[in-house]
Amino acid sequence: MQNKTVLTGVKPTGTPHIGNLVGAIKPAIELGNKVLEAGGRHFMFVADYHAINAEKDPAVLNQKLKEIACIYLAFGLDPNKSVFYRQSDIPEIPEITTILFAYTPKGFMNKAHAYKAAVDKNRAAGKPDDDLINMGLYTYPTLMASDILAYDTDIVPVGKDQVQHVEIARDIAGMINAHYGKELLKLPEYSLTKNAVLVPGIDGRKMSKSYNNVIPIFADKAEIKKAVFAIKTDSRPLEEPKNPDEILVYEIYQAIAAPEKVQEMAEGLRQGKLGYGHIKNMLLDAVVEMTSEAKEKYEYYMAHEKEVNEMLDLGASKARPIATKTLERLKNAVFGR
Ligand code: ADP
Ligand code: TRP
């Protein structure tokens, strides 16, 4: 991590849930802080250009952007240390993208999984392959390559679904460097978010906004309670010893509670001392404990939009000069200036 540049982008879609928090948001902030301590650079941005491919309502976009920015701030992203910005505030990004297009084989886009998934969905519905697929979705990985390459990024922490995109960025950079015979662009690497626990949802499938099975992060306690008490259980009596590994409430608890608390729940279940009501209350307490401090901050930031915008503006003012340098380097090479 010494002197490395780490960059993460997050799309402002959906309302984040406990799975996103444990699997993506917290690890990203922790990694960022580690990189900064080791003398490196940390870039964190909201990918609003990527979001407009799917979301066309400005009010929704604006609200989601605000929510996601406030969540990262609430969980400890320091905008004075990390470079925290909106993608759309960096006009050099689409400019770099235009240059990258000239070196991006169309076949890369054909194979990109977000596009392929959209085509498969159309086929399954008996519609034409490209029905309702816009060029933004089709060329998504090239814009993402530009996000990454603009800042000489070394490492892009990603979930499995984004690995292909980082590889495409690396390939495009490699082709451009090979063409001009010099390292115009730094070759990025991905790092798979290690030990990221996959949090199950209240129905036992992966917690996901698409399954409507989430525990929300900042809802009021009654709403969180409703989600927690809806977690699937069976009708075995309290006294019957149970194997914790077969109990969904315990699985979710494991992902968020302190190890000694997890141990306590496991023993209580094995010894028939804890029933489903008890363990659901324990889980509810753990969710509230994990989020209550951040919730206050979140509400503060949500009510102080101007302050948040100033933080994002500050980030853009730090990001732009770096992206500008990359763009200049590329233009000089491409146009022989
Ligand atoms: P969703 O499945 O709700 O649509 P996304 O696909 O937008 O979530 O994921 C955003 C980030 O959160 C990704 O990095 C992903 O790996 C992480 N994530 C999503 N769901 C979970 C989960 N249930 N457990 C752990 N991490 C998750
Ligand atoms: N495609 C990413 C996602 O859907 C978001 C993103 C856009 C991104 N540009 C990026 C992630 C650059 C890492 C680096 O989650």
Side-chain angles (χ1 to χ4, degrees):
M1 287 298 164
Q2 199 108 40
N3 300 325
K4 294 286 186 200
T5 295
V6 174
L7 172 136
T8 307
V10 56
K11 256 197 305 186
T13 48
T15 299
H17 49 74
I18 295 291
N20 299 140
L21 181 64
V22 176
I25 299 170
K26 280 186 153 200
I29 295 170
E30 279 157 20
L31 180 72
N33 290 337
K34 227 163 60 195
V35 170
L36 290 165
E37 271 163 33
R41 301 186 302 173
H42 182 230
F43 291 79
M44 175 89 224
F45 70 96
V46 187
D48 49 356
Y49 270 136
H50 280 116
I52 61 173
N53 297 328
E55 181 57 67
K56 301 292 192 278
D57 182 340
V60 174
L61 275 168
N62 218 335
Q63 177 66 18
K64 294 293 168 201
L65 188 141
K66 190 172 147 186
E67 277 177 20
I68 203 81
C70 293
I71 284 180
Y72 276 87
L73 292 169
F75 280 99
L77 186 92
D78 182 346
N80 292 311
K81 293 185 179 158
S82 296
V83 182
F84 184 44
Y85 59 98
R86 304 177 200 86
Q87 185 186 32
S88 63
D89 278 345
I90 320 292
E92 290 75 18
I93 295 297
E95 240 187 298
I96 293 172
T97 306
T98 302
I99 297 178
L100 301 188
F101 276 148
Y103 294 84
T104 305
K106 180 167 170 283
F108 279 16
M109 304 295 103
N110 293 339
K111 278 188 243 154
H113 70 76
Y115 170 67
K116 272 176 54 182
V119 170
D120 289 346
K121 207 171 151 195
N122 278 337
R123 284 189 188 161
K127 295 179 180 162
D129 279 8
D130 284 332
D131 196 52
L132 294 182
I133 295 179
N134 57 46
M135 287 302 286
L137 172 64
Y138 186 57
T139 60
Y140 187 114
T142 312
L143 177 58
M144 182 158 159
S146 177
D147 289 327
I148 296 170
L149 301 173
Y151 308 102
D152 302 323
T153 302
D154 295 291
I155 299 164
V156 188
V158 286
K160 267 198 209 121
D161 61 323
Q162 298 298 317
V163 167
Q164 183 194 31
H165 293 151
V166 182
E167 284 175 336
I168 290 175
R170 192 181 166 88
D171 287 349
I172 296 172
M175 287 188 290
I176 293 179
N177 291 346
H179 183 81
Y180 294 101
K182 54 183 164 189
E183 203 199 333
L184 287 170
L185 297 167
K186 184 147 213 184
L187 300 189
E189 282 174 31
Y190 64 81
S191 103
L192 265 179
T193 319
K194 263 189 262 142
N195 312 325
V197 258
L198 197 67
V199 186
I202 62 173
D203 61 356
R205 294 184 289 175
K206 166 192 168 321
M207 189 179 290
S208 168
K209 59 178 175 287
S210 342
Y211 297 149
N212 226 345
N213 64 354
V214 309
I215 300 176
I217 300 179
F218 290 138
D220 56 43
K221 195 170 172 185
E223 205 181 315
I224 298 178
K225 185 171 180 181
K226 200 171 138 212
V228 168
F229 277 75
I231 297 172
K232 268 196 194 163
T233 47
D234 53 40
S235 55
R236 284 182 288 171
L238 189 157
E239 319 73 56
E240 188 178 323
K242 301 175 190 73
N243 176 359
D245 295 331
E246 291 165 0
I247 294 175
L248 185 53
V249 178
Y250 175 77
E251 269 184 72
I252 304 175
Y253 195 67
Q254 254 185 328
I256 67 169
E260 61 279 7
K261 290 282 201 180
V262 174
Q263 187 67 22
E264 191 186 313
M265 187 183 282
E267 275 164 23
L269 285 165
R270 279 195 203 100
Q271 294 164 7
K273 286 188 179 149
L274 289 174
Y276 293 126
H278 297 127
I279 62 171
K280 283 181 174 175
N281 273 314
M282 287 170 81
L283 176 60
L284 176 62
D285 288 346
V287 173
V288 171
E289 195 183 312
M290 179 170 67
T291 54
S292 62
E293 196 191 320
K295 187 169 191 236
E296 262 177 51
K297 290 191 194 158
Y298 176 77
E299 279 162 4
Y300 172 86
Y301 288 123
M302 286 297 280
H304 292 78
E305 193 167 358
K306 191 162 160 271
E307 241 175 81
V308 175
N309 283 334
E310 281 166 7
M311 289 173 186
L312 292 166
D313 292 346
L314 169 73
S317 76
K318 291 192 271 186
R320 278 196 73 183
I322 306 168
T324 300
K325 266 199 194 156
T326 306
L327 177 61
E328 284 303 312
R329 221 161 52 228
L330 279 171
K331 275 176 133 175
N332 288 342
V334 169
F335 299 116
R337 288 177 183 161

